Amino acid sequence: DGGITQSPKYLFRKEGQNVTLSCEQNLNHDAMYWYRQDPGQGLRLIYYSQIVNDFQKGDIAEGYSVSREKKESFPLTVTSAQKNPTAFYLCASSIMGTGGGNEQFFGPGTRLTVL
Amino acid sequence: ILNVEQSPQSLHVQEGDSTNFTCSFPSSNFYALHWYRWETAKSPEALFVMTLNGDEKKKGRISATLNTKEGYSYLYIKGSQPEDSATYLCALGSGANNLFFGTGTRLTVIP
């Protein structure tokens, strides 16, 4: 079955700790994305990557970091610099050259709670 | 950041009723308009991607129209069924490699 997996489903961390969210896809997509959802708001883009070893900041990148060492993997690290990290995080992928014109395929999400 | 607005925020309809919701977006820098369905405890799934003014797309009982000149898209559901209950997301692509999402319309179909 092709798709996107995210782990874990629920994650708890203590304030001041870094935490890494996993995202893996076997769709052979070049582009991958991280979004954040907060209550009452639309999905907001954190980072995206169009190709291995390259990524760009989205609208709300502060306090986050990513890597893209393999085509199928795009982990997101929520650092202690992120002031309000409690949120639902969605990973997505698409074929290259979205330009907004190709559908995105989403993972099931990770709910992060900072205690 | 582009402002994408969806209305209504939520609605309840009876099984069998038809319904529609709206997505409004800035008409400048338009590249594509996406509709996604997001059921509870599942991942968002693409319904339609539209790129041309006047586009109309249909998938079963669900259809969508696009007016890029005035900056809106409508999503229609004919004969709503309980399995149509979900949040419907609209997203605008502006030519860069990202999407700008609205806050969604949460539809509940009452049996």
Side-chain angles (χ1 to χ4, degrees), chain A residues 9 33 35 37 40-45 48 50 58-59 88 90 96-109, chain B residues 1 9 31-34 36 38 41-46 49 51 89 92-104:
Chain A
K9 189 172 181 179
Y33 313 82
Y35 294 95
Q37 189 196 35
Q41 297 197 43
L43 299 178
R44 292 183 292 167
L45 184 68
Y48 65 98
Q50 299 179 64
D59 302 320
F88 186 71
L90 272 172
M96 181 53 181
T98 282
N102 295 316
E103 69 177 273
Q104 294 187 6
F105 293 78
F106 287 86
Chain B
I1 297 179
Q9 190 173 18
Y31 192 88
L33 193 286
H34 297 225
Y36 291 85
W38 194 357
K42 293 187 178 180
S43 307
E45 289 185 343
V49 179
T51 57
L89 300 175
L92 176 69
S94 63
N97 288 295
N98 55 349
L99 297 177
F100 297 92
F101 283 83
T103 53

Side-chain angles (χ1 to χ4, degrees), chain A residues 53-64:
Chain A
N53 292 322
D54 186 50
F55 46 82
Q56 288 79 41
K57 293 181 179 180
D59 302 320
I60 54 166
E62 186 175 350
Y64 299 97

Side-chain angles (χ1 to χ4, degrees), chain A residues 25-45:
Chain A
Q25 54 98 1
N26 60 6
L27 300 169
N28 200 33
H29 286 166
D30 285 302
M32 296 187 74
Y33 313 82
W34 273 106
Y35 294 95
R36 168 182 172 141
Q37 189 196 35
D38 294 283
Q41 297 197 43
L43 299 178
R44 292 183 292 167
L45 184 68

Side-chain angles (χ1 to χ4, degrees), chain B residues 8-56:
Chain B
Q9 190 173 18
S10 67
L11 76 161
H12 293 71
V13 301
Q14 290 292 137
E15 182 176 353
D17 286 351
S18 295
T19 187
N20 65 85
F21 3 105
T22 304
C23 174
S24 302
F25 53 86
S27 54
S28 59
N29 297 319
F30 175 86
Y31 192 88
L33 193 286
H34 297 225
W35 282 100
Y36 291 85
R37 176 168 57 199
W38 194 357
E39 297 178 64
T40 302
K42 293 187 178 180
S43 307
E45 289 185 343
L47 287 171
F48 307 112
V49 179
M50 296 181 286
T51 57
L52 298 176
N53 184 43
D55 257 354
E56 293 189 24

